[in-house]
Amino acid sequence: HPLDGCVIYGIFAWGIPGLAGPVTNAIPVSWETQLGELILQEFTTNQAVCHHPELTTKIETIMRSLTSPLSQSPYTFHVTVVDSPVVNALAAPGGNIIVFRGLLEDTDSPEELAGVLAHEIQHVRLRHGMRLIVQHMSMAFIIAALSGDASGMLSYGLQAAQTLQTLSYGREAEHQADAEGLALLQQAHIDPEGMGKR
């Protein structure tokens, strides 16, 4: 990538947080997707995954509606429901969305769940999770990501998962995901009223 040399110079000159945006934009989507798979593994290693057929079908139907307007997206989205009472959902880089059982129990309608999923889809598309990880990982991680080197990626999965679980996006990123998520609901012809309840 022609930007890599400039980005690496900038990291040394100005520091990682200030260049998180350009660094994130320069990371290959294929590398980001591999990292997302490792993050998903970290979340599902010690927690059961819900495989209820009816629930799976309903979530897949919602996701098809939400992703059909995104024909140009480089990401393939997949939802995994983790059997945990935590009321939360999070977007791993690359398209894996993790929903915790507690969130499902706390939603009142399919439209409300669609609002959550639309929000998380936009975090992926806007690369907010990847940017957050870049801001808090080592220089070795940055260089591996920019070069597409997957040889040491396994060691980054746990750190990246912990970063996503313990740190939060900034207010600007949340507002952006809300606005873009609302637009996505409208494109998918899903009532956006449920989004305001989250």
Side-chain angles (χ1 to χ4, degrees):
H1 195 290
L3 186 62
D4 291 359
C6 295
V7 167
I8 290 171
Y9 168 79
I11 289 168
F12 285 114
W14 304 308
I16 291 172
L19 281 175
V23 168
T24 300
N25 292 338
I27 294 171
V29 169
S30 58
W31 196 94
E32 179 184 6
T33 301
Q34 285 181 272
L35 180 66
E37 290 291 334
L38 289 174
I39 290 170
L40 176 63
Q41 287 177 29
E42 290 296 337
F43 277 98
T44 56
T45 296
N46 297 315
Q47 298 182 94
V49 173
C50 299
H51 292 291
H52 191 282
E54 187 178 346
L55 174 63
T56 300
T57 300
K58 287 181 179 178
I59 290 175
E60 286 177 353
T61 301
I62 293 170
M63 287 298 288
R64 269 196 304 273
S65 297
L66 290 172
T67 57
S68 61
L70 305 177
S71 58
Q72 302 302 312
S73 175
Y75 301 107
T76 300
F77 294 93
H78 178 74
V79 176
T80 299
V81 179
V82 173
D83 190 6
S84 163
V86 174
V87 181
N88 196 17
L90 59 86
N96 277 306
I97 296 172
I98 301 162
V99 175
F100 297 95
R101 173 178 48 80
L103 179 91
L104 293 178
E105 293 170 346
D106 198 51
T107 53
D108 297 325
S109 67
E111 291 78 15
E112 194 175 333
L113 177 59
V116 171
L117 294 175
H119 179 95
E120 298 303 331
I121 285 170
Q122 297 298 18
H123 275 316
V124 172
R125 294 185 67 232
L126 296 164
R127 303 184 95 172
H128 289 157
M130 195 69 242
R131 183 172 180 161
L132 186 69
I133 290 165
V134 163
Q135 287 175 317
H136 294 90
M137 294 289 271
S138 67
M139 188 67 195
F141 171 89
I142 304 290
I143 292 171
L146 289 173
S147 65
D149 179 10
S151 60
M153 187 180 282
L154 192 61
S155 65
Y156 299 129
L158 176 60
Q159 297 171 59
Q162 289 172 339
T163 298
L164 284 180
Q165 195 165 26
T166 58
L167 299 176
S168 57
Y169 302 121
R171 187 176 299 174
E172 183 181 347
E174 291 293 358
H175 286 325
Q176 197 177 13
D178 278 341
E180 296 289 333
L182 181 60
L184 187 56
L185 289 174
Q186 292 167 337
Q187 286 178 296
H189 308 292
I190 296 173
D191 184 354
E193 185 180 345
M195 196 167 193
K197 296 178 181 177
R198 285 283 120 202

